[in-house]
Amino acid sequence: MAEIHLLSDEIINKIAAGEVIERPASAVKELIENAIDAGATRIQVQIEQGGKKKIQVTDNGKGMGSADLELCFLRHTTSKLTNADDLFHLQTNGFRGEAVASIAAVSKLTITSATQDGESGRIVVKGGEVIEREDIQTSRGTTFLVEDLFYNTPVRRTFLGSETSECSRILDIVLKTAISHPEIRFDYKVGDRTVFTGVPGELRSRIAEAIGSKVAKSLLPVDYTEAGVHVSGYISPTTETNGKRNHQFLFMRNRPIENKMVSKAVSQAYEPYGAQCKPVTVLFLDMPDMEFDINVHPAKREVRFANGNLVFLVVTHAIRDTFTRDLEANSPFIDLSDELMGGPAAAPQTTPMRSTMAETPAQPSFASPAAPTQPQNDLPWENPFAKTNYAGITPANTSANKPYAKSASAANTLSDKKSKYDVSDDVQDLFSLPEYGKIISLEPDHTKPEPPRETPWAPPSFFQIANTYIAGEDSNGLLIIDQHAAHTRVLFEQAMESLQNNIAQDSQELLFPELIDLSKQEKEIFRNVDDQLRKLGFFVEPFGGDTFQIRSIPSALPLSRAAKAVHDFLNDVDENDTKNDMVKFQEAIAKSWAKTNAYQAGDKLKPEEITALVSQLMITQDPLKSPFGSPTLMRLTLEELSKKFRH
């Protein structure tokens, strides 16, 4: 008897459903894309229990008649292509013909639809089988009602995230699709609560609705074409430091996609501006049909390019070209000719602080500002941009900082040249304290006693290295502590104690509350962690719309880091997908809070702060590791040090 046999349609449908419909967000994505392809100008999404209990997507598209209703939930049925060549010339969002069939195979699916001609109907499918048909009258458009998703595949249901996590994923899908189609109105509700509303308009307005108006206002427009590849959209300036991974959007002909090479190109374009630069990017790619293939992933998330290296370079060039154009448009012209040349007698030379890149648009690069022309006169100026006060003040009386000091050989030469640039021996010193406002001679005063010599510096028990590490001696050698990892361990255990014992940590109330704008994702996360935030010292409350006000912060947190701490905390909690397990949820909260509020690399600590940190670390339950598993300290033994110095 043959061991190989054909699978039943039921198993085949469930396998296909597992490939296409991974979680509730996948079902929402497929149904929204079908609504867009149907010509909808308004799409409404409503879910319950993270989409596990209910997903309802309603559109005002062209609808389906009774014949289409009987076919739309079957496998390999579609209205979007007729032959294989159409796969490479698609202008729609979907083409596999498996989305609705996959949803119907793992849920109870009710489809209600009506055409403009008045033809309408309703069909109910459960587990892929039709259980009810009905002729009804309804308005033009289609409504998909998905209930009890994965009811017949309990293993897949078990591996879903928490309700909060699944709601966040669905919101991400809605926002991405809304950004790619700003001409369509979107409404997203969780239960009866409206989470997102997108009013038809221009792209920047839609970005403001999805991410925040403050971010949208600062974005720079991108419009760049090279080698047949067109890149458009918006990117944040290099000063933006609070971007997040879910604030980087990539679209291929209005389809939300993922591509690691393009993401790397974005990172490389921003790389010269520092690791702390976290950009917000909304980029749309377009190229000839045969240069890309979006049919490489069952859920159409990824795209493959015929020439990935070209796309990488074009995206990098597009971003840097945008920076260059912004620099050209906003950098001022500074004319120092009169000040440096001694008046209008010398020919004025305007020194631009920017350069034009029009000659080579295909490979934009950052050109350095033109070097200033050295003035051709007999004044003792070696460099017109030297660090000299043009009011006749020099910072110090040293040959290093006063390059024009009179030497024995130059005395006679300078004595014959009298101009407004001559530096007198006695000048107004505005930088000396406590003798502020007095005339102080810059010549050495031999009548004053020589100040006592400083004693050689001796390190304290513990001291900082590069404002990042703490070093000190113990009986076995040299201890080096990572201040961020160590402080994270200390704060994590303090936070766990507060959360588990329901004890609020000390906080400082702000005299003037600080206002912050939260994105739609951050607002959803905030609703679920507000109580925990208050126990940990943050008191944040709505102020209207997407704006919130910070009323109090943890006692040890600097005010300057308050807003960033809230953003980082909410973003980090979002990335920690916790199940319905209170202990894991508390650990995720504590880790995020500790990581956000801990000393960062580069923070200068006072001696008492260093001592307190080392003392607190040593009494934690696990002083050798941070809550994320990285080491907090290392020891160089005397033997290891001895080996380093041996010949």
Side-chain angles (χ1 to χ4, degrees):
M1 180 178 178
E3 295 184 6
I4 299 177
H5 58 277
L6 293 173
L7 295 175
S8 65
D9 289 340
E10 179 185 4
I11 296 177
I12 291 174
N13 288 338
K14 288 183 179 180
I15 292 174
E19 293 177 347
V20 179
I21 308 301
E22 300 173 313
R23 54 191 345 113
S26 305
V28 172
K29 175 179 181 293
E30 298 292 346
L31 296 178
I32 289 179
E33 290 180 347
N34 282 343
I36 294 173
D37 291 339
T41 59
R42 178 169 185 172
I43 300 174
Q44 297 170 292
V45 181
Q46 185 176 19
I47 67 169
E48 292 182 10
Q49 295 183 9
K52 303 172 190 176
K53 180 180 179 181
K54 172 187 173 182
I55 298 173
Q56 181 171 304
V57 178
T58 302
D59 68 68
N60 63 348
K62 62 184 180 181
M64 295 181 288
S66 56
D68 289 333
L69 274 176
E70 293 289 340
L71 294 173
C72 70
F73 62 90
L74 300 179
R75 294 189 66 209
H76 307 307
T77 57
T78 183
S79 61
K80 302 166 186 176
L81 55 87
T82 56
N83 55 62
D85 289 339
D86 291 342
L87 286 170
F88 303 100
H89 303 282
L90 283 172
Q91 302 299 320
T92 60
N93 289 281
F95 53 85
R96 287 183 175 276
E98 294 180 344
V100 178
S102 298
I103 296 172
V106 292
S107 69
K108 178 184 176 182
L109 176 63
T110 302
I111 309 172
T112 305
S113 190
T115 64
Q116 188 174 5
D117 299 331
E119 188 177 2
S120 60
R122 173 183 293 164
I123 191 167
V124 181
V125 185
K126 186 173 183 179
E129 299 293 331
V130 178
I131 62 174
E132 185 180 343
R133 292 181 178 87
E134 184 180 5
D135 291 330
I136 65 167
Q137 294 298 317
T138 185
S139 58
R140 172 187 163 179
T142 304
T143 296
F144 285 88
L145 174 60
V146 183
E147 298 175 287
D148 297 328
L149 187 63
F150 300 130
Y151 79 96
N152 55 356
T153 53
V155 174
R156 183 170 295 276
R157 194 179 182 94
T158 301
F159 281 90
L160 293 179
S162 64
E163 181 178 334
T164 300
S165 174
E166 295 302 330
C167 286
S168 179
R169 286 186 170 93
I170 293 173
L171 176 59
D172 184 59
I173 293 294
V174 173
L175 294 182
K176 285 180 178 178
T177 314
I179 289 175
S180 65
H181 292 276
E183 75 282 1
I184 299 176
R185 179 184 175 91
F186 282 84
D187 295 281
Y188 172 52
K189 290 185 175 182
V190 177
D192 295 328
R193 180 173 55 86
T194 300
V195 175
F196 171 74
T197 300
V199 180
E202 61 171 354
L203 178 58
R204 190 188 287 269
S205 298
R206 180 56 55 84
I207 295 174
E209 294 168 338
I211 303 178
S213 57
K214 183 178 179 181
V215 174
K217 288 178 182 178
S218 67
L219 296 179
L220 306 176
V222 179
D223 190 2
Y224 184 84
T225 302
E226 180 182 347
V229 179
H230 182 229
V231 183
S232 61
Y234 289 93
I235 61 174
S236 60
T238 56
T239 54
E240 180 67 45
T241 59
N242 62 348
K244 302 171 179 65
R245 276 203 301 270
N246 56 8
H247 284 177
Q248 296 183 11
F249 302 91
L250 178 64
F251 305 92
M252 185 70 220
R253 288 189 180 171
N254 292 353
R255 299 176 186 148
I257 62 168
E258 298 174 4
N259 186 272
K260 294 181 180 179
M261 183 172 292
V262 175
S263 299
K264 188 176 181 180
V266 172
S267 300
Q268 180 167 304
Y270 278 88
E271 188 176 4
Y273 303 97
Q276 296 301 318
C277 187
K278 300 177 181 178
V280 176
T281 58
V282 180
L283 296 178
F284 293 80
L285 303 182
D286 195 8
M287 61 190 71
D289 293 338
M290 302 305 293
E291 295 300 317
F292 70 96
D293 183 9
I294 204 169
N295 191 21
V296 295
H297 191 279
K300 305 186 294 290
R301 284 199 304 261
E302 299 176 7
V303 64
R304 181 169 53 200
F305 298 110
N307 191 343
N309 291 333
L310 174 64
V311 175
F312 180 93
L313 290 175
V314 174
V315 171
T316 304
H317 293 169
I319 294 175
R320 293 190 174 176
D321 175 72
T322 301
F323 294 155
T324 302
R325 287 189 287 107
D326 179 62
L327 187 66
E328 292 176 354
N330 296 302
S331 295
F333 284 92
I334 301 175
D335 187 354
L336 299 177
S337 57
D338 286 350
E339 293 296 326
L340 299 181
M341 301 300 183
Q349 297 182 14
T350 302
T351 304
M353 299 303 291
R354 53 184 169 88
S355 59
T356 303
M357 302 300 297
E359 293 80 7
T360 57
Q363 297 186 6
S365 60
F366 294 101
S368 302
T373 306
Q374 184 170 343
Q376 301 298 322
N377 58 13
D378 55 359
L379 294 177
W381 297 96
E382 296 180 3
N383 182 352
F385 292 94
K387 190 175 182 181
T388 303
N389 190 298
Y390 295 116
I393 304 170
T394 52
N397 186 24
T398 64
S399 59
N401 293 328
K402 189 178 179 184
Y404 316 122
K406 299 178 183 179
S407 63
S409 59
N412 294 333
T413 304
L414 294 178
S415 63
D416 297 331
K417 294 176 171 58
K418 299 295 183 181
S419 74
K420 67 177 180 179
Y421 294 105
D422 286 346
V423 180
S424 62
D425 292 340
D426 292 339
V427 297
Q428 179 71 32
D429 188 344
L430 301 180
F431 307 103
S432 297
L433 293 177
E435 298 151 317
Y436 175 79
K438 295 182 180 180
I439 300 297
I440 303 171
S441 175
L442 298 183
E443 297 298 328
D445 188 352
H446 299 288
T447 63
K448 295 183 180 179
E450 185 177 352
R453 293 186 178 182
E454 296 182 358
T455 57
W457 177 80
S461 299
F462 288 95
F463 58 95
Q464 268 188 301
I465 301 176
N467 291 340
T468 301
Y469 304 100
I470 298 172
E473 177 188 11
D474 71 355
S475 58
N476 295 318
L478 180 66
L479 278 179
I480 302 178
I481 300 173
D482 184 325
Q483 66 187 34
H484 176 70
H487 202 204
T488 303
R489 163 55 62 182
V490 171
L491 294 182
F492 169 75
E493 296 195 4
Q494 292 176 357
M496 285 298 294
E497 182 179 1
S498 296
L499 295 174
Q500 291 177 348
N501 299 323
N502 200 24
I503 302 174
Q505 293 203 26
D506 293 337
S507 63
Q508 53 179 327
E509 186 173 357
L510 303 183
L511 182 60
F512 300 102
E514 183 166 356
L515 300 182
I516 59 172
D517 290 333
L518 299 184
S519 66
K520 295 296 185 293
Q521 292 101 328
E522 289 173 332
K523 286 174 63 177
E524 284 299 293
I525 299 300
F526 173 78
R527 290 183 61 256
N528 295 281
V529 299
D530 184 25
D531 292 340
Q532 287 75 18
L533 265 177
R534 296 192 184 196
K535 292 177 185 177
L536 298 175
F538 280 104
F539 184 82
V540 183
E541 62 182 10
F543 190 72
D546 294 334
T547 303
F548 287 67
Q549 59 178 347
I550 304 175
R551 300 291 301 274
S552 63
I553 61 177
S555 297
L557 183 69
L559 176 59
S560 59
R561 283 177 49 194
K564 187 176 187 302
V566 173
H567 283 297
D568 289 348
F569 174 80
L570 295 176
N571 184 52
D572 202 58
V573 172
D574 182 24
E575 294 175 357
N576 286 292
D577 180 16
T578 58
K579 311 282 178 149
N580 295 321
D581 186 323
M582 182 54 65
V583 175
K584 289 184 178 179
F585 179 68
Q586 289 177 342
E587 287 181 353
I589 294 289
K591 285 182 180 179
S592 301
W593 182 83
K595 176 182 175 183
T596 298
N597 292 274
Y599 297 135
Q600 305 296 317
D603 286 351
K604 185 172 180 57
L605 306 183
K606 300 176 182 178
E608 57 269 23
E609 292 174 329
I610 295 174
T611 303
L613 176 58
V614 175
S615 302
Q616 292 171 343
L617 175 65
M618 295 309 167
I619 62 174
T620 57
Q621 296 179 6
D622 190 358
L624 300 180
K625 289 184 178 180
S626 77
F628 299 95
S630 59
T632 59
L633 59 86
M634 63 176 293
R635 175 184 283 111
L636 290 177
T637 64
L638 296 175
E639 291 78 7
E640 290 173 328
L641 289 172
S642 179
K643 291 178 182 178
K644 297 291 184 182
F645 289 99
R646 286 178 184 171
H647 294 291

